[in-house]
Amino acid sequence: EAGVTQSPTHLIKTRGQQATLRCSPISGHTSVYWYQQALGLGLQFLLWYDEGEERNRGNFPPRFSGRQFPNYSSELNVNALELEDSALYLCASSLRQGAAETQYFGPGTRLLVL
Amino acid sequence: QKEVEQDPGPLSVPEGAIVSLNCTYSNSAFQYFMWYRQYSRKGPELLMYTYSSGNKEDGRFTAQVDKSSKYISLFIRDSQPSDSATYLCAMRPNAGNMLTFGGGTRLMVKP
């Protein structure tokens, strides 16, 4: 069974541009989570999507947004890129089974903002 | 103060040693506790998952949760060079799916 997949693996952008990152969850998983792992800041929760709806949002500005498609894949968009957005962006997925969901992570997209 | 504190290391041990990794937390609402292993330039891989207080063993790995002390541990027996990675603790409450992570401990097991 395939795990969580993310594309692209690496992305280089300049300040002010927009970045689009993509995630495909494990087959059968309906929840998708996005995390940012910046150097020195650790893993921080960004967004949670389930059944096409945004369910929760971390402490990030509105220029971080996303969506979940009918096939449960997801897209993270980062507008007006800033240098400090350089980080590893991780996507995770889980089954929606009450409170005991386990999140499985993809390999991440490494975003570099110049 | 961060909600979840974890010694960043690096922790260097000889092959075969018993490794103890720890996290402390401040939010008493946390009920689910996880340990992830992350190799360099890879995504985190789930190692252990526990609910509430107690111990859980899986092969060479044992996870302990002491909710009264707000303290969780991961023990690795007979450590191997392939265990060299960053270990992240993560936790969340009953309600909501957001995981709160510790900063990670970098472990190096020397042959």
Side-chain angles (χ1 to χ4, degrees), chain A residues 40-96:
Chain A
L41 292 178
L43 260 155
Q44 294 182 284
F45 168 75
L46 259 169
L47 290 159
W48 169 32
Y49 291 95
D50 182 71
E51 297 286 358
E53 301 281 333
E54 181 180 304
R55 301 296 183 181
N56 203 351
R57 181 182 185 85
N59 189 25
F60 282 84
R63 56 191 188 82
F64 287 84
S65 65
R67 53 181 171 165
Q68 187 178 32
F69 299 99
N71 66 354
Y72 303 113
S73 67
S74 177
E75 197 173 85
L76 174 70
N77 294 295
V78 188
N79 293 321
L81 284 165
E82 300 179 2
L83 296 178
E84 52 264 35
D85 296 333
S86 295
L88 180 66
Y89 288 84
L90 291 160
C91 172
S93 73
S94 74
L95 290 165
R96 183 102 167 109

Side-chain angles (χ1 to χ4, degrees), chain B residues 37-48:
Chain B
R37 177 175 64 195
Q38 187 175 24
Y39 291 112
S40 182
R41 311 188 82 78
K42 302 286 187 183
E45 168 195 11
L46 181 67
L47 279 178
M48 299 290 281

Side-chain angles (χ1 to χ4, degrees), chain B residues 31-73:
Chain B
Q31 296 286 335
Y32 295 88
F33 304 91
M34 286 134 271
W35 286 95
Y36 285 86
R37 177 175 64 195
Q38 187 175 24
Y39 291 112
S40 182
R41 311 188 82 78
K42 302 286 187 183
E45 168 195 11
L46 181 67
L47 279 178
M48 299 290 281
Y49 181 99
T50 54
Y51 172 70
S52 198
S53 286
N55 292 3
K56 184 176 181 179
E57 188 173 321
D58 184 0
R60 297 185 295 112
F61 299 92
T62 299
Q64 283 186 353
V65 175
D66 181 350
K67 289 187 65 183
S68 62
S69 303
K70 296 189 178 67
Y71 188 87
I72 69 170
S73 300

Side-chain angles (χ1 to χ4, degrees), chain A residues 10 31 33 35 37 40 42-43 45 48 56 88 90 94 96 98-107 110, chain B residues 2 32 34 36 38 40-46 49 88 92-103:
Chain A
H10 293 82
S31 279
Y33 312 82
Y35 292 84
Q37 189 173 32
L43 260 155
F45 168 75
W48 169 32
N56 203 351
L88 180 66
L90 291 160
S94 74
R96 183 102 167 109
E101 298 97 339
T102 300
Q103 295 183 23
Y104 297 90
F105 283 83
R110 192 164 294 277
Chain B
K2 293 181 181 178
Y32 295 88
M34 286 134 271
Y36 285 86
Q38 187 175 24
S40 182
R41 311 188 82 78
K42 302 286 187 183
E45 168 195 11
L46 181 67
Y49 181 99
L88 300 154
R92 65 175 179 82
N94 256 337
N97 286 32
M98 182 186 84
L99 289 177
T100 301
F101 281 85

